[in-house]
Amino acid sequence: QVQLVESGGGLVQPGGSLRLSCAASGRTITTWTMGWFRQAPGKERKFVAAINWSGRTTYNADSVKGRFAISRDNAKNTVDLQMNSLKPEDTAVYYCATSRYVIPNGPNDYDYWGQGTQVTVSS
């Protein structure tokens, strides 16, 4: 089993920045894809970003392109999400997840999930 724990969430002003971190433990598999999703109250869970095992290929949702950046450190078993120029619509619970697939088709292709960390963007 793999355990994922997110941290770094909180309250931030519009235009501000936050850096989320996800720590993996247990039977970690370095070659698995890592991803970030977010879910606002009453909304569906949506894809934010993903990164392949080497860290050299990333994917970003159109809503966060140019503002968010995903990265990973396999030596530390962590994946981060740097969030800049935050907007109120970025408010959500952010989840990290890992998938056995090189190119996951959606949330159902992710095998393990963290508990989430709250990000609130408000003045």
Side-chain angles (χ1 to χ4, degrees):
Q1 294 284 327
V2 175
Q3 294 81 46
L4 303 174
V5 180
E6 303 94 337
S7 62
L11 176 65
V12 64
Q13 297 262 348
S17 298
L18 281 175
R19 189 176 184 91
L20 306 183
S21 183
C22 175
S25 61
R27 194 172 298 178
T28 56
I29 304 174
T30 305
T31 55
W32 283 20
T33 299
M34 299 293 299
W36 285 95
F37 292 77
R38 64 187 183 185
Q39 187 169 24
K43 304 290 186 179
E44 295 289 316
R45 187 170 299 187
K46 293 186 176 181
F47 171 78
V48 175
I51 187 167
N52 79 333
W53 72 271
S54 70
R56 291 190 287 270
T57 302
T58 61
Y59 307 88
N60 302 102
D62 288 341
S63 60
V64 305
K65 276 188 174 179
R67 299 189 298 121
F68 292 9
I70 188 172
S71 61
R72 69 190 296 167
D73 186 338
N74 289 336
K76 297 180 179 179
N77 290 324
T78 59
V79 58
D80 289 359
L81 184 69
Q82 178 65 48
M83 306 186 295
N84 300 320
S85 302
L86 284 161
K87 305 173 181 179
E89 54 261 43
D90 295 319
T91 296
V93 176
Y94 284 70
Y95 300 88
C96 70
T98 187
S99 173
R100 74 187 72 181
Y101 299 106
V102 176
I103 307 176
N105 288 324
N108 289 340
D109 283 344
Y110 284 80
D111 299 90
Y112 298 97
W113 294 80
Q115 291 296 108
T117 185
Q118 177 71 49
V119 172
T120 302
V121 184
S122 176
S123 59

